[in-house]
Amino acid sequence: MRSIVHTLAVLVILQMFSCSTEVDNYADYKDITIVYGLLESKADTNFIKITKAFLGPGNALLIAQNPDSSQYAGKLNARLLGVKNGVSLPEIMLDTLTVHNKLAGDSIFYFPQQKVYYTTAAIDPEATYTLRILRGDKVVEAQTKVVKDFAIMEPVNRVNFASTVASAVKWKAAPNARRHEAVMVFNFMELWPGSADTVHKTMTWNLGTVTSKNTNGSETLEIAYQGDEFFRRLAAVIDQDTPNVKRFTGKIDIYISAGGDDLTTYIEVNAPSNSIIQEVPQFSNIENGIGIFSSRSTVKRTYLMTVQSETKLVEAYPWGFLFKFVP
């Protein structure tokens, strides 16, 4: 998403000047601040990316590889201002650090180092926070409510993959959130022939996304899943060509991530489109800048699969699964 923010900014600026050959293309250049930050009340550290759009002569792809093109020099005056029940909370000043493990991925921008702003201060889930960045006489601001904690309701005890009818993951919508995404992770172990050590493996299943009708946390949301789909996905991640591999069933983690209202709009507006209309809509809640400042919360619950599901995995599929660890 960080790459999307930068790319959109670059494309907008290039399009603004690409049609004219009679003026100085760089005379009217304006510094555009780009912000990407999601507050989490349960996180021990919250990170916010603050960069700038760039414009220069030559190949924009090559310019993007230079950190100075999009990083501000030094440390900006950036802070979080919280208000709870009409009372101002102590200001939280953001500090900077340089991370050294940014992956190349599909990004056209510099890596592996990048500067980020952060705080280890506690984020109050009952407060509304304003991000304020001071740059001379320019003030860049954005505001968000904090997505509150919520709970997974179903499954209650174990996860069922043996049923021929659909099962479901159910949860109470997170207050101050709109978009909810569910992910299931199946953990298992492998013991290969000639090895004395087991290796931890996972199969990740993105169950889908549900958008709540309101942000007051009153709705019960759910996503259905079919047991046969679990076995199909598991078959795709294991090595079925190597014989005599022993596999051992493990626990199942279910994660529900909830994103704030503005984050939901940002994702929906910037989602890929098959439309032939060339004009791409944009959304930003950053005053005097572009990007997104919102909040999210993630809950996790861990289960075992039902005995029937484990029996089906062990007996119906030739993948070497065992009920329990046997060296």
Side-chain angles (χ1 to χ4, degrees):
M1 298 173 74
R2 295 170 182 159
S3 299
I4 292 175
V5 172
H6 283 87
T7 304
L8 289 175
V10 173
L11 291 176
V12 169
I13 294 174
L14 291 178
Q15 290 172 358
M16 287 173 59
F17 296 106
S18 61
C19 298
S20 175
T21 58
E22 300 178 356
V23 298
D24 182 351
N25 285 350
Y26 307 106
D28 297 326
Y29 168 65
K30 295 182 179 179
D31 185 319
I32 301 177
T33 301
I34 304 171
V35 176
Y36 179 80
L38 301 175
L39 295 184
E40 296 184 72
S41 63
K42 294 186 294 185
D44 56 6
T45 306
N46 277 272
F47 297 93
I48 297 176
K49 187 73 179 292
I50 305 173
T51 56
K52 61 181 177 179
F54 62 82
L55 181 69
N59 190 329
L61 298 179
L62 295 179
I63 298 174
Q65 299 298 317
N66 182 358
D68 293 337
S69 299
S70 52
Q71 280 194 164
Y72 285 110
K75 182 172 69 174
L76 298 177
N77 184 330
R79 64 190 68 191
L80 293 173
L81 309 175
V83 176
K84 177 180 178 180
N85 298 325
V87 178
S88 296
L89 302 178
E91 290 187 2
I92 300 175
M93 296 298 300
L94 300 181
D95 205 348
T96 61
L97 62 81
T98 300
V99 297
H100 302 274
N101 58 351
K102 178 186 178 185
L103 299 178
D106 296 326
S107 174
I108 64 174
F109 295 90
Y110 59 92
F111 66 93
Q113 295 182 342
Q114 63 173 327
K115 182 194 299 182
V116 295
Y117 288 75
Y118 76 98
T119 179
T120 58
I123 300 298
D124 193 323
E126 302 295 331
T128 297
Y129 284 89
T130 297
L131 170 66
R132 180 171 296 165
I133 304 167
L134 303 179
R135 299 191 51 251
D137 59 353
K138 181 179 180 181
V139 179
V140 179
E141 282 191 342
Q143 188 177 91
T144 185
K145 293 182 178 179
V146 178
V147 175
K148 299 180 182 180
D149 201 9
F150 59 106
I152 299 175
M153 302 163 59
E154 294 183 16
V156 178
N157 295 316
R158 292 176 178 253
V159 180
N160 186 10
F161 300 121
S163 176
T164 57
V165 298
S167 301
V169 176
K170 295 184 181 181
W171 66 96
K172 201 70 173 179
N176 297 330
R178 181 81 68 172
R179 181 185 179 96
H180 298 72
E181 298 179 353
V183 175
M184 182 182 295
V185 179
F186 172 57
N187 299 274
F188 62 99
M189 303 292 290
E190 289 185 342
L191 181 63
W192 283 60
S195 175
D197 299 322
T198 56
V199 179
H200 178 246
K201 297 281 188 174
T202 60
M203 185 275 288
T204 301
W205 182 1
N206 295 317
L207 296 175
T209 301
V210 177
T211 302
S212 57
K213 297 178 181 179
N214 56 61
T215 60
N216 61 19
S218 62
E219 295 179 68
T220 297
L221 306 177
E222 68 175 89
I223 294 180
Y225 65 89
Q226 296 285 346
D228 287 344
E229 180 68 8
F230 167 79
F231 296 104
R232 188 188 71 80
R233 289 176 176 270
L234 183 57
V237 302
I238 62 177
D239 185 348
Q240 302 183 47
D241 297 327
T242 303
N244 302 319
V245 178
K246 295 181 180 180
R247 295 184 170 92
F248 312 97
T249 59
K251 296 181 179 180
I252 298 167
D253 299 318
I254 294 180
Y255 298 86
I256 308 293
S257 296
D261 203 5
D262 282 343
L263 176 61
T264 301
T265 303
Y266 179 85
I267 293 174
E268 291 176 349
V269 169
N270 290 301
S273 173
N274 294 324
S275 173
I276 62 174
I277 301 176
Q278 294 185 357
E279 183 177 354
V280 179
Q282 295 185 35
F283 172 82
S284 171
N285 67 346
I286 311 298
E287 184 179 349
N288 290 325
I290 60 174
I292 182 69
F293 177 66
S294 188
S295 178
R296 66 182 174 190
S297 180
T298 300
V299 298
K300 171 188 174 183
R301 189 169 174 183
T302 301
Y303 302 85
L304 294 174
M305 65 172 63
T306 61
V307 174
Q308 296 86 346
S309 301
E310 191 173 26
T311 300
K312 183 175 181 178
L313 176 60
V314 170
E315 297 180 355
Y317 296 91
W319 299 333
F321 272 96
L322 303 174
F323 285 105
K324 60 182 179 180
F325 180 75
V326 180

